[in-house]
């Protein structure tokens, strides 16, 4: 049961994180108005439900195994969901280029 709960938590987190991000990008005028948006509230609720499943899964699992498995599955689903939503593809070249830009802007 512990592993199943951890996988459900990872799936919920992996799906809801990109959806929350896209929901907030559309409604950047006011954070207060975002809380009035029913879609946003449902996504936050599902994300928090993932936290409940994670907590239940920790009762039956070793923390040294549970956290890496949950984070890895969540990251994989997050990347796949982001690509499905049309976000920029994650690649080593993109990461290196962004790091160089950030470093150059910090040196000024």
């Amino acid at each position: 049961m512990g592993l199943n709960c951890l996988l459900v938590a990872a799936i919920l987190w992996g799906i809801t994180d990109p959806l929350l991000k896209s929901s907030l990008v559309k409604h950047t005028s006011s954070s207060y108005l975002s809380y009035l948006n029913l879609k946003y509230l449902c996504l936050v609720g599902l994300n928090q439900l993932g936290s409940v499943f994670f907590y239940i899964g920790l009762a039956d699992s070793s923390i040294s195994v549970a956290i890496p498995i949950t984070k890895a599955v969540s990251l994989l689903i997050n990347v796949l969901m982001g690509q499905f939503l049309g976000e920029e593809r994650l690649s080593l070249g993109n990461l290196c280029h962004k790091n160089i830009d950030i470093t150059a802007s910090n040196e000024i």
Side-chain angles (χ1 to χ4, degrees), residues 21 79 82-83 85-91 93-95 98:
K21 179 182 172 186
V79 168
Q83 287 180 358
L85 292 174
E87 292 180 3
E88 184 178 348
R89 283 191 89 168
L90 186 63
S91 70
N94 290 342
L95 291 174
K98 289 179 182 178

Side-chain angles (χ1 to χ4, degrees), residues 20-78:
L20 283 168
K21 179 182 172 186
S22 68
S23 176
L24 286 178
V25 167
K26 292 177 185 174
H27 303 287
T28 57
S29 60
S30 172
S31 61
Y32 176 73
L33 292 177
S34 296
Y35 289 111
L36 297 177
N37 184 357
L38 185 60
K39 178 184 174 186
Y40 178 78
L41 286 175
C42 289
L43 290 172
V44 169
L46 285 173
N47 193 291
Q48 292 302 309
L49 186 62
S51 299
V52 171
F53 276 106
F54 181 72
Y55 184 74
I56 293 169
L58 282 178
D60 295 335
S61 304
S62 169
I63 196 166
S64 62
V65 174
I67 292 175
I69 288 174
T70 306
K71 290 296 182 181
V73 173
S74 177
L75 177 65
L76 176 66
I77 293 173
N78 197 328

